[in-house]
Amino acid sequence: MDRDARPQGLSGGSVGEGAGKRGDNREGGAASRSDDPNIADWLMRRALRQTRLSDAIPALGRKLAAAGLPVARINVGGFMLHPVLGALDLTWDAQSEGAARSQTRTRRALGSEAFKNAPFYYLFSRDLPELRHRLADPEARTRFPLFERLHEEGLTDYLALYVGFEKPLAAPLDDGVEGTECAMCSFATRDPEGFSEDDLARLRALALPIALVIKTAIADNFAQALLDTYLGRLSGRNVLTGHVQKGDGRLIDCVLWYSDLRGSTALSSELEIERYFSTINDYFDCTAEAVLDHGGEVLKFIGDGVMAIFPIDGETRTAEAMGRAAAETARDALARGHALNLRRARERLDPIAFGIGLHAGRVMHGNVGTDRRLDMTVTGPAANQVVRLETATKAAGVPVIASAEFAELCPEEMVPIGARELPGIPGLTELFALPEDVAPEDADAAPQDDVAG
């Protein structure tokens, strides 16, 4: 969405040298209009299938140029329903080899002065269908900071179109302005004469088809973001690709990573509910965020436990690489926990502690539940074993315990600390620890008490 900041990111296709210039096929308004219904039809067909704006908008720029419209820049955007992100924003410029620059705006950014002092906010807050200014006019350029920048880039005329979806926003913007979910597109030209009345009429006729493409792209983006947020990337993409029935699933090889907060029952009874939830979220920031930062998949929060996997595909995600990533994730989580406890000490709060279990094996990843309520999860003996490994950390006196299966694939040396019986696991289980957690004289010393953490 147009504002005084240049978006960065995704790239799209290319455009010919004639884009943004009046071509021979502009002679005769009726003749040049012949392609416009085809463009509208093409846009609606793009909306009917999953399409990326970073692909669709550069292609639209090429089609407009071929139809004789002197469009040198297109900007599109719309609001998103997302816990953090607030709007999708993409700009195409014919002079940048047809590249599309895309980024998402945070909800916080939507309340900024830069956003409020922009054409899109002006249209949205007033529910206006369009805004048109000739950028060659010095007085017009004072309306928005964006106009001066566009003028410096050689653009001469600007048209913005706004389409509301008549669906109220989930919440007003930070400044209290209410409105509907919507789409916005703007066109600018470098033609010295600016847009003709015929140009403007043809662009206005494309407002609804473009809005449909934007709405579809935002809906796809929202669906992916929602599933990534609540299910995780792997599980979310499985759902989007059709794994939606009870029993749908597949066997996967992975490194399993499980963490559990110690003393959580006491915390829940001793702390006020707001403080307890703040503490739990701080703990998740230490553990789950570390998993995500190292390329793992957070499958679920089990109370105050974090079940995660590092899927192995044998190519880019080899067993050794996933073992190393899981070990480094454990170290990172503990370092974050240490930093958190320093902060809690300054606030005169008790420290938190957690254990981590590491394992490797094959699990079933898929849907379990009923026909009306499903859960995408991992099941199997390996998933049970990683939980049991974590419960042994307290009795063993180390924060991280790994299985022999994990130690075998992990490229760094793990230290054996003995064998013990784990609840629900037949026989004795060989236990391993990170080398920095074990003094040399303690290696191979079997832990004593069987305590669940």
Side-chain angles (χ1 to χ4, degrees):
M1 288 167 288
D2 280 331
R3 58 184 63 88
D4 203 20
R6 186 182 297 273
Q8 303 293 328
L10 302 177
S11 62
S14 59
V15 68
E17 293 179 356
K21 300 179 180 179
R22 295 186 184 270
D24 294 338
N25 60 346
R26 283 181 55 82
E27 296 180 1
S32 64
R33 284 179 183 274
S34 63
D35 279 343
D36 293 353
N38 292 335
I39 295 176
D41 180 73
W42 173 82
L43 284 166
M44 289 186 286
R45 290 182 182 278
R46 292 296 292 247
L48 289 176
R49 65 179 190 267
Q50 285 190 337
T51 185
R52 297 188 305 173
L53 286 178
S54 56
D55 295 329
I57 298 307
L60 173 62
R62 293 192 293 271
K63 285 185 173 292
L64 293 177
L69 279 160
V71 174
R73 178 186 184 272
I74 304 173
N75 175 265
V76 299
F79 288 125
M80 297 171 59
L81 181 61
H82 188 277
V84 177
L85 305 177
L88 186 66
D89 183 18
L90 182 141
T91 301
W92 167 84
D93 191 306
Q95 286 193 340
S96 59
E97 299 182 352
R101 302 182 303 272
S102 177
Q103 75 174 29
T104 50
R105 304 285 178 176
T106 65
R107 289 188 174 276
R108 180 175 298 178
L110 298 186
S112 68
E113 288 303 315
F115 179 77
K116 295 175 186 177
N117 197 14
F120 178 75
Y121 182 84
Y122 181 86
L123 294 176
F124 164 78
S125 62
R126 293 163 175 80
D127 195 26
L128 298 176
E130 73 171 65
L131 176 73
R132 190 272 179 109
H133 282 287
R134 291 189 178 273
L135 302 179
D137 181 0
E139 184 177 351
R141 297 199 300 272
T142 64
R143 291 295 305 276
F144 304 101
L146 171 72
F147 286 175
E148 187 63 43
R149 179 170 65 78
L150 295 181
H151 173 68
E152 292 173 356
E153 294 176 3
L155 294 157
T156 60
D157 205 351
Y158 177 92
L159 172 70
L161 303 172
Y162 167 85
V163 178
F165 300 157
E166 299 183 3
K167 179 182 177 183
L169 289 174
L173 298 184
D174 286 352
D175 60 358
V177 173
E178 297 186 358
T180 64
E181 294 183 22
C182 57
M184 177 267 198
C185 61
S186 71
F187 305 94
T189 182
R190 290 187 172 86
D191 193 295
E193 301 175 21
F195 289 125
S196 69
E197 289 304 314
D198 183 63
D199 295 335
L200 295 171
R202 295 168 67 190
L203 292 174
R204 289 172 182 135
L206 295 176
L208 288 178
I210 292 173
L212 187 59
V213 172
I214 296 171
K215 183 174 183 178
T216 302
I218 289 176
D220 290 344
N221 191 300
F222 166 64
Q224 184 67 70
L226 185 70
L227 291 173
D228 283 357
T229 300
Y230 286 96
L231 295 182
R233 287 173 296 176
L234 178 63
S235 298
R237 286 164 191 172
N238 279 344
V239 170
L240 281 179
T241 53
H243 295 269
V244 296
Q245 298 185 56
K246 183 171 67 175
D248 280 347
R250 60 193 178 100
L251 290 170
I252 63 171
D253 293 315
C254 63
V255 171
L256 295 102
W257 195 101
Y258 181 76
S259 171
D260 193 44
L261 180 66
R262 291 177 182 164
S264 58
T265 302
L267 285 174
S268 64
S269 60
E270 295 170 0
L271 299 178
E272 294 181 357
I273 188 66
E274 293 84 359
R275 174 62 71 178
Y276 173 71
F277 267 80
S278 175
T279 299
I280 291 294
N281 284 327
D282 283 345
Y283 155 70
F284 287 145
D285 283 341
C286 294
T287 53
E289 281 296 311
V291 169
L292 296 173
D293 286 347
H294 289 270
E297 173 93 357
V298 176
L299 291 178
K300 62 175 59 268
F301 300 108
I302 309 170
D304 48 46
V306 178
M307 175 65 78
I309 58 173
F310 291 77
I312 297 169
D313 65 15
E315 298 177 3
T316 59
R317 299 176 64 92
T318 63
E320 293 80 6
M322 294 303 95
R324 180 184 294 108
E328 287 306 309
T329 299
R331 291 189 173 99
D332 188 8
L334 293 171
R336 296 182 192 209
H338 177 70
L340 171 63
N341 283 333
L342 291 177
R343 191 192 81 196
R344 290 176 65 84
R346 291 192 297 269
E347 298 173 359
R348 297 184 178 181
L349 298 172
D350 291 336
I352 67 168
F354 52 87
I356 297 170
L358 300 173
H359 186 42
R362 180 165 292 185
V363 294
M364 174 64 75
H365 181 246
N367 287 317
V368 296
T370 75
D371 290 339
R372 294 188 295 175
R373 177 62 174 89
L374 294 172
D375 186 23
M376 178 70 78
T377 187
V378 292
T379 59
N384 177 53
Q385 185 163 342
V386 74
V387 174
R388 302 305 182 188
L389 288 165
E390 186 283 324
T391 64
T393 59
K394 187 174 181 180
V398 293
V400 180
I401 283 186
S403 66
E405 290 84 352
F406 179 87
E408 183 177 353
L409 67 81
C410 187
E412 65 176 272
E413 185 176 354
M414 304 292 290
V415 179
I417 57 173
R420 68 177 299 164
E421 291 185 1
L422 297 179
I425 307 298
L428 293 176
T429 300
E430 294 285 342
L431 304 182
F432 293 79
L434 296 174
E436 63 267 29
D437 292 336
V438 182
E441 62 271 16
D442 294 333
D444 289 313
Q448 301 299 314
D449 300 323
D450 202 8
V451 180

